Amino acid sequence: MNISKEIASVCTYCGTGCDITGVVKDNKIEKIYAQADGYVSRGKLCIKGKSGYDFVSSPHRVRDVRVKKSFIEKNFNQMPQELQARSKRLKSIDDVWYSGNYEFSTSLVAWKLSQIKNKYGRHSFSAMGGARTSCESAYSLQKFARTTMESPNIDNCARVCHSPSLTGMRQTIGEGAATNPFDDIFKSEFLLVIGSNTTEAHPIVANRMIEAVRNKTCEIAVMDVRQIQLHKYASIEAIIPFEANLLILNMIAYVILKEELYNKEFIEARTVGFEDYKNQILNDKFANPEFFKQLKGYEELSETIPTIARAYATKKSMIFWGLGITEHLDGSYAVMAITHLALMTGNIGKAGAGLMPLRGQNNVQGACDVGCLPYYAPDYQAPQEIGLMTPDAVEAMIDGKIKSLYVMGEDFTHIHPNQNKVHKALENLELIVVQDLFMNDIASKADIVFGVKSAYEKTGVYINAMRRLHLSQPLVECEMPDDWEVLRDIEHKLKGEFSYETSEDIWEDIRKDAPNRFSGASYLKLIKNRSRGMQWPVGRTDTPTLHLEDFRTKDGLGRFKYHQYALREQVKKVLHNEKRETFYLTTGRTIVHYNNAAQTMHSDTLLSKHDEDVLQISIEDKDKFKSNRVILKNKYGETSILNIKFVKTLKSGTMFCTFHHAASNINYIFGDECDELIKTARFKSVEVEVIPV
């Protein structure tokens, strides 16, 4: 009789990175729960972590290699004779796909990659992904791109989420990661949450916030473009206009400066550029909160903003933010404005005070740490050559400069903006290779698809939003390859330099290539600390709190770099009392789904609770709609038909919709507008025309 086993690992979903225990019997997960003393989970899991594990045994898993019939037909005459002969023995799945032998398929990919490189040059290759798999696989992908294919074109999903956090924080304090552990919420006196629907996107972090408020150890101020659940627990709450983050953050700074609430001793000892910054803000016509007295419907912000500023400056405070900050034209500048607040008040470099960007995917922090970015090698070192960010890579595909694309767990044809343009770009490629768990949208467009292990079937390091390394272990056994194994086996047929037999072999290379963060983080040490995990940088010990004595800049000093808000969009229209025929749409998550629902849609428990994206519209605008179904349209494209739900949580003229289901075509209406420093798309605000159905 097979006895149930309990195995400790890490959740596969959001950047919170909860510790989990899987109850396994007959090599099948029967239950997942959190230990009462769990360091991250604190004994609680959200519905995804608790119930969303059945995707592992889904009948829809890709458990083989799939080769598109049209690819074989198109390339047959160019193939070496051996591949020609073996391709004739492929088994048909349906009208579109063959089931490919693994050895043949890796050989086929290696041959085609070589052919394209020889014909078009090394820059014709591009790779995307790494944030939904382990650090070992993410490192392997960037190494495959840079050393095997000799192309600098490597990127990951941080491009559409927290790249502005990395850029803004590095330019001001030298490090683009969370400064404190989540549990510092209990040591803080004041939390400012802006642009984060924390209860939906990072619920186990939100649990701490709510508990701290109930225990009366801290207060919360919540700022968002709509009413969210966390507002219920806020002592200060604010609904702000679309694209007003930088405006408001500069206003908070203005009040602190005007009322001299800043920490002079900290500023003099640990920063540079303060006086210039101070003069610029105090002379900025948009920085005075009195500006909001001119904006109909938002007048109360002229009083709310000073209240937040005073509380933040006079208490031990932390700032939490999400994609509501970063996915804008001025996302990087808004993050700089956030770090300015911490620098001028000394709310950084100590327990209970710091900066907390809430990362989205389970290993997006780790993917960036190990070099899955076009402008950073592992450890955020300068690469030998800077590659193309994803939006630039799309342009290069359209121009015929990129001809092969390797995608590893990146939902390129769903979560990226301007999907009409993306799909047009794919038509110019001669090879698309995808490694994933399911035949999602990008997999359906691939030439060759490798089914791979899920996070619950492999060993590897994952790094959560507070820099915590967790060495996962498999809950169930699986015969499919890990992501890094596919890359290794293709590389062996190209150069033969990947001599990895285990994930630990790769991790040892990571420790050498990223010594500032991982030199002391051996597998042995991570196993001993599996329950608590370790926060990088890891030497003899780990580092829960960053910047205790200095910042991670060359001279150890924090920097003030002011950027003025530019009047535009909704703020401009409200200010000038312009008549509005269109609406402003923002997008976000719901608690039951993860990103594009690549895994959660294969969990019956989760899918049954949210099986379509529903458009939320303000109840104040109900009279404007004669139909309960609409299409949203603009110059970039249009959505599918969306059902409407009227809510009290939105102001007139604004809308909200989730983006989890590819069939909704939400990302067809977001264009090329992006953060001007780092090209993260403006997903949190787009003007749309409404077409009734």
Side-chain angles (χ1 to χ4, degrees):
M1 183 177 177
N2 219 320
I3 301 173
S4 294
K5 297 181 292 184
E6 295 199 354
I7 304 170
S9 196
V10 63
C11 181
T12 187
Y13 290 112
C14 79
T16 306
C18 287
D19 41 87
I20 60 170
T21 298
V23 180
V24 180
K25 185 176 181 181
D26 297 330
N27 203 41
K28 187 174 182 179
I29 302 170
E30 293 192 327
K31 178 183 178 181
I32 283 181
Y33 72 96
Q35 299 285 352
D37 61 351
Y39 183 72
V40 176
S41 68
R42 301 178 75 246
K44 296 179 181 179
L45 298 175
C46 77
I47 188 171
K48 293 188 293 295
K50 186 177 181 179
S51 303
Y53 56 82
D54 39 350
F55 73 89
V56 175
S57 55
S58 168
H60 301 295
R61 282 283 299 274
V62 180
R63 298 188 180 277
D64 55 3
V65 188
R66 300 190 181 182
V67 182
K68 193 162 276 181
K69 291 181 175 180
S70 59
F71 179 79
I72 295 293
E73 182 179 348
K74 185 176 181 180
N75 287 275
F76 184 82
N77 292 332
Q78 305 168 50
M79 291 180 194
Q81 288 186 351
E82 180 192 4
L83 291 179
Q84 286 182 346
R86 293 168 71 183
S87 69
K88 292 178 181 178
R89 298 195 293 270
L90 293 172
K91 295 180 180 179
S92 176
I93 297 176
D94 53 31
D95 292 341
V96 178
W97 297 99
Y98 289 119
S99 177
N101 169 277
Y102 180 80
E103 173 65 23
F104 164 78
S105 300
T106 52
S107 297
L108 183 64
V109 172
W111 164 74
K112 189 61 181 177
L113 286 174
S114 291
Q115 186 201 51
I116 292 171
K117 182 182 177 183
N118 291 336
K119 183 177 180 180
Y120 299 102
R122 61 189 180 89
H123 290 99
S124 64
F125 175 82
S126 180
M128 297 176 189
R132 204 164 64 210
T133 185
S134 66
C135 285
E136 293 86 344
S137 291
Y139 173 85
S140 297
L141 183 66
Q142 65 85 32
K143 186 174 180 180
F144 183 85
R146 288 183 164 119
T147 65
T148 306
M149 298 306 299
E150 299 174 311
S151 170
N153 300 325
I154 170 70
D155 210 347
N156 78 84
C157 81
R159 185 65 44 228
V160 292
C161 59
H162 270 286
S163 285
S165 293
L166 174 59
T167 298
M169 294 177 79
R170 280 185 69 86
Q171 289 201 20
T172 49
I173 58 175
E175 187 66 88
T179 59
N180 298 62
F182 295 144
D183 278 356
D184 271 21
I185 289 170
F186 300 116
K187 300 175 183 177
S188 185
E189 297 170 335
F190 183 77
L191 310 178
L192 172 56
V193 182
I194 179 168
S196 167
N197 188 5
T198 322
T199 57
E200 300 283 328
H202 300 88
I204 303 305
V205 178
N207 283 353
R208 287 168 165 81
M209 296 176 177
I210 294 167
E211 183 179 335
V213 169
R214 286 174 172 166
N215 291 341
K216 298 183 179 179
T217 58
C218 81
E219 294 180 293
I220 301 183
V222 179
M223 307 186 83
D224 208 290
V225 296
R226 63 191 181 112
Q227 196 85 25
I228 58 175
Q229 188 176 351
L230 202 60
H231 275 108
K232 298 177 184 177
Y233 305 94
S235 56
I236 310 170
E237 56 180 284
I239 306 298
I240 65 176
F242 280 47
E243 296 191 65
N245 293 325
L246 182 59
L247 173 69
I248 286 166
L249 289 163
N250 284 343
M251 287 177 175
I252 295 173
Y254 177 94
V255 174
I256 294 170
L257 294 169
K258 190 78 172 177
E259 299 183 8
E260 297 188 356
L261 302 174
Y262 49 88
N263 187 327
K264 295 178 183 178
E265 182 180 344
F266 187 92
I267 291 167
E268 290 175 3
R270 297 196 56 183
T271 72
V272 292
F274 174 71
E275 287 301 326
D276 285 344
Y277 166 80
K278 176 182 175 182
N279 291 333
Q280 286 175 301
I281 282 209
L282 292 179
N283 290 291
D284 182 354
K285 63 180 180 180
F286 293 126
N288 190 328
E290 295 287 309
F291 173 81
F292 272 107
K293 289 184 177 180
Q294 307 170 65
L295 262 65
K296 186 178 180 181
Y298 296 95
E299 296 91 342
E300 73 280 359
L301 290 175
S302 63
E303 296 180 3
T304 306
I305 291 169
T307 303
I308 291 173
R310 292 168 192 136
Y312 176 80
T314 57
K315 297 177 185 292
K316 188 162 57 172
S317 304
M318 301 177 76
I319 304 180
F320 291 79
W321 72 93
L323 306 189
I325 285 287
T326 60
E327 291 180 340
H328 285 287
L329 300 181
D330 50 18
S332 294
Y333 296 128
V335 173
M336 291 181 200
I338 287 172
T339 62
H340 294 153
L341 298 179
L343 290 174
M344 75 170 72
T345 60
N347 271 311
I348 190 169
K350 58 186 178 183
L355 302 170
M356 304 294 291
L358 293 172
R359 294 282 193 162
Q361 297 221 58
N362 59 334
N363 198 40
V364 66
Q365 180 69 58
C368 296
D369 294 342
V370 300
C372 269
L373 290 167
Y375 38 76
Y376 287 125
D379 228 7
Y380 301 98
Q381 299 174 75
Q384 290 184 343
E385 184 180 4
I386 293 176
L388 298 176
M389 291 181 271
T390 300
D392 296 325
V394 171
E395 293 285 356
M397 292 175 201
I398 291 174
D399 293 341
K401 295 176 182 176
I402 288 179
K403 286 294 185 178
S404 60
L405 175 64
Y406 205 111
V407 181
M408 186 174 74
E410 175 85 347
D411 308 297
F412 183 44
T413 56
H414 181 167
I415 66 168
H416 287 263
N418 209 346
Q419 281 295 320
N420 279 318
K421 187 175 183 179
V422 169
H423 284 71
K424 179 183 176 183
L426 295 185
E427 294 172 3
N428 278 356
L429 299 179
E430 295 186 10
L431 175 67
I432 304 173
V433 181
V434 168
Q435 294 178 195
D436 220 308
L437 309 183
F438 298 97
M439 290 301 294
N440 54 21
D441 193 72
I442 182 60
S444 70
K445 293 172 174 58
D447 297 300
I448 301 166
V449 180
F450 289 91
V452 290
K453 290 179 178 177
S454 72
Y456 293 154
E457 296 163 323
K458 61 188 179 185
T459 299
V461 175
Y462 293 82
I463 303 177
N464 76 351
M466 64 176 189
R467 300 173 284 108
R468 173 184 183 260
L469 283 71
H470 185 120
L471 178 59
S472 73
Q473 56 185 336
L475 301 182
V476 293
E477 296 176 3
C478 173
E479 294 182 356
M480 287 185 287
D482 200 340
D483 284 300
W484 64 264
E485 291 179 293
V486 179
L487 290 163
R488 177 202 62 191
D489 294 341
I490 295 171
E491 193 278 340
H492 277 180
K493 296 169 182 179
L494 290 167
K495 286 192 172 182
E497 296 175 357
F498 281 23
S499 57
Y500 304 126
E501 295 298 325
T502 67
S503 59
E504 186 174 8
D505 293 339
I506 304 173
W507 184 252
E508 287 305 302
D509 268 6
I510 293 173
R511 290 175 65 197
K512 294 172 187 174
D513 283 356
N516 294 324
R517 283 160 181 76
F518 308 129
S519 62
S522 66
Y523 261 33
L524 180 61
K525 191 179 288 186
L526 293 176
I527 289 170
K528 288 181 178 178
N529 290 276
R530 195 191 302 276
S531 177
R532 187 183 73 86
M534 305 189 80
Q535 287 179 263
W536 66 245
V538 183
R540 290 183 61 188
T541 59
D542 67 340
T543 313
T545 305
L546 291 179
H547 315 300
L548 292 172
E549 296 179 357
D550 53 19
F551 294 105
R552 294 169 75 89
T553 54
K554 287 183 179 180
D555 59 7
L557 300 175
R559 279 165 169 70
F560 289 92
K561 294 187 176 183
Y562 185 61
H563 191 84
Q564 187 181 44
Y565 169 78
L567 185 64
R568 64 172 184 273
E569 302 299 336
Q570 189 185 22
V571 176
K572 184 178 180 180
K573 289 193 174 185
V574 175
L575 180 65
H576 295 154
N577 199 26
E578 294 181 23
K579 186 178 180 182
R580 290 173 292 171
E581 301 293 339
T582 56
F583 287 77
Y584 284 95
L585 172 75
T586 192
T587 61
R589 301 181 185 181
T590 181
I591 193 171
V592 300
H593 281 302
Y594 166 70
N595 205 36
N596 75 321
Q599 294 167 179
T600 51
M601 71 180 297
H602 295 284
S603 168
D604 293 340
T605 301
L606 302 179
L607 188 61
S608 65
K609 297 181 183 299
H610 190 280
D611 60 1
E612 66 173 342
D613 294 312
V614 175
L615 180 66
Q616 295 184 14
I617 300 174
S618 172
I619 193 75
E620 298 175 40
D621 294 322
K622 189 172 184 179
D623 293 343
K624 300 176 184 177
F625 292 85
K626 296 180 181 179
S627 170
N628 287 324
R629 304 171 77 215
V630 298
I631 291 170
L632 303 182
K633 183 178 180 180
N634 60 16
K635 63 181 179 180
Y636 290 105
E638 61 183 50
T639 67
S640 301
I641 298 172
L642 301 169
N643 288 315
I644 292 174
K645 180 181 180 181
F646 292 102
V647 297
K648 296 179 180 179
T649 54
L650 287 159
K651 280 185 174 283
S652 176
T654 64
M655 299 173 165
F656 169 82
C657 193
T658 53
F659 57 85
H660 299 298
H661 302 279
S664 303
N665 287 349
I666 298 297
N667 286 354
Y668 280 76
I669 58 174
F670 292 97
D672 291 334
E673 292 96 346
C674 59
D675 179 277
E676 66 178 68
L677 296 184
I678 215 70
K679 299 200 172 182
T680 293
R682 186 177 68 169
F683 281 122
K684 294 306 177 189
S685 176
V686 66
E687 197 170 2
V688 293
E689 178 187 355
V690 178
I691 311 296
V693 176

